[in-house]
Amino acid sequence: MLRDAAAIALACGVVGASFGAVALAAGLPIPAIVAMSTLVFAGGSQFMAVGLIAAGSPLAAVFAGLLLNARHLPFGLALGDTLGQRWRDRLLGSHLMTDESTAFALAQPDPAGRRRVFWLTGIPIFLAWNIGTVLGVLLATRVGDPTRLGVDAAFPAGLLALLLPSLRSAETRRVALVGAAVALVATPLLPAGLPVLLALAGLGVLLLPRPRREPAC
Amino acid sequence: MLIAVILALALGTYAFRLAGVVLRDRLVLPDEVSRLLPMAAATLLAALAATAALTEAGAFAGVARPVGVLVGAVLAWRRAPFVVVVVAAAGTAALLRLLGVP
């Protein structure tokens, strides 16, 4: 268990470092980058926000980021008894809630195990994410022009890597692919930020009649 | 402006997190909503990845970047570690640019 926690924290540190580098390349001031990792502490929405802020649409950044993080509400419902009744634990634990710490905790069979594993993964992930962000910023300030190093290609590739586990569900994959196509077609036509939000139209796929044979994965 | 964006995102995100923990006895999300939220998240991220990979300021982003992303995507699909995906994507794009590919 400790080995798993260390491995996941290390992985989060690396993603955090790439966030720091990407955010700096996008032109965000360093204090803003560090504040984002500490205060928001939700990787996907941070990448999303940086992308949309850089594109010049801060409102879309907030809206898309919050929509992305709305999934923490059901996480909290599921974790309720794991965090217990003490307000200190609830207030602190809520901030440590991530896809990873939630998944690890809920994989435990008994409440005591869930509680222990939640903190055991949540705290290291928080530390690694923030240390990673600072290291990423420091590294990026040393290398000069980020485009020459291909940072612009690293950003979407990293997003895809984060996204792939959820795309292994056929239904999610169909919705996401249609949404991405809608966003691409809309990009030359609409102001920055809107195409990504318009991708939610992809959820309309769910209203279509289901294909007769669902693929196995 | 930037600080307002960060604070709004931070406070909103924390509210979602805490609300679930606090309301757990009083709130039952409809199954449909619990099913749709992760899908909506995946869709937004997919759209961001696609537009960031292929477009720049509303126009086509050239060749080096999409090819780099493609290399990263294939590696990610083959379950390569995150670092490998990111470094391979950046390295491919950087190498192509070094060779004069836009």
Side-chain angles (χ1 to χ4, degrees):
Chain A
M1 179 57 231
L2 272 175
R3 265 233 324 262
D4 287 351
I8 198 80
L10 195 69
C12 289
V14 174
V15 184
S18 59
F19 169 73
V22 163
L24 195 76
L28 263 72
I30 294 174
I33 300 171
V34 174
M36 218 187 222
S37 275
T38 316
L39 299 176
V40 180
F41 184 49
S45 69
Q46 290 180 223
F47 279 112
M48 174 77 79
V50 165
L52 295 180
I53 289 169
S57 49
L59 274 182
V62 174
F63 188 76
L66 286 181
L67 209 60
L68 210 55
N69 289 341
R71 70 186 189 286
H72 288 93
L73 181 70
F75 287 178
L77 292 173
L79 279 172
D81 61 339
T82 302
L83 291 179
Q85 294 296 325
R86 274 166 59 195
W87 275 102
R88 196 200 58 189
D89 291 354
R90 284 174 158 192
L91 292 172
L92 210 66
S94 292
H95 193 55
L96 297 179
M97 190 187 293
T98 60
D99 297 329
E100 294 82 4
S101 59
T102 306
F104 265 84
L106 294 180
Q108 302 303 310
D110 62 302
R114 280 200 286 277
R115 168 184 286 268
R116 197 171 56 89
V117 166
F118 179 80
W119 293 99
L120 213 59
T121 49
I123 295 171
I125 288 174
F126 182 79
L127 294 177
W129 178 254
N130 283 283
I131 294 170
T133 301
V134 172
L135 289 180
V137 168
L138 289 178
L139 262 160
T141 49
R142 298 193 140 221
V143 293
D145 179 17
T147 324
R148 208 166 43 91
L149 288 178
V151 172
D152 55 326
F155 170 55
L159 274 182
L160 280 175
L162 291 180
L163 183 66
L164 267 182
S166 44
L167 290 188
R168 293 190 195 272
S169 137
E171 204 176 32
T172 306
R173 196 165 56 228
R174 269 193 301 151
V175 171
L177 283 179
V178 172
V182 169
L184 276 178
V185 171
T187 295
L189 309 172
L190 295 176
L194 283 183
V196 168
L197 296 181
L198 201 64
L200 291 172
L203 289 168
V205 172
L206 298 174
L207 300 174
L208 300 176
R210 288 174 154 233
R212 215 162 292 157
R213 284 186 335 147
E214 281 281 297
C217 68
Chain B
M1 190 63 200
L2 181 58
I3 195 76
V5 168
I6 294 174
L7 284 182
L9 192 54
L11 288 175
T13 301
Y14 187 71
F16 278 130
R17 286 171 164 152
L18 188 63
V21 173
V22 173
L23 295 178
R24 125 192 97 98
D25 303 324
R26 275 158 288 174
L27 179 73
V28 181
L29 280 188
D31 284 350
E32 277 296 286
V33 175
S34 312
R35 196 169 70 96
L36 286 181
L37 281 178
M39 267 195 236
T43 305
L44 286 173
L45 286 175
L48 181 66
T51 49
L54 297 175
T55 66
E56 172 75 43
F60 193 55
V63 177
R65 189 198 299 176
V67 172
V69 175
L70 188 67
V71 169
V74 170
L75 285 170
W77 189 254
R78 316 274 326 247
R79 297 174 196 263
F82 185 84
V83 204
V84 177
V85 171
V86 168
V87 171
T92 306
L95 196 68
L96 286 173
R97 287 194 182 119
L98 204 64
L99 297 173
V101 180

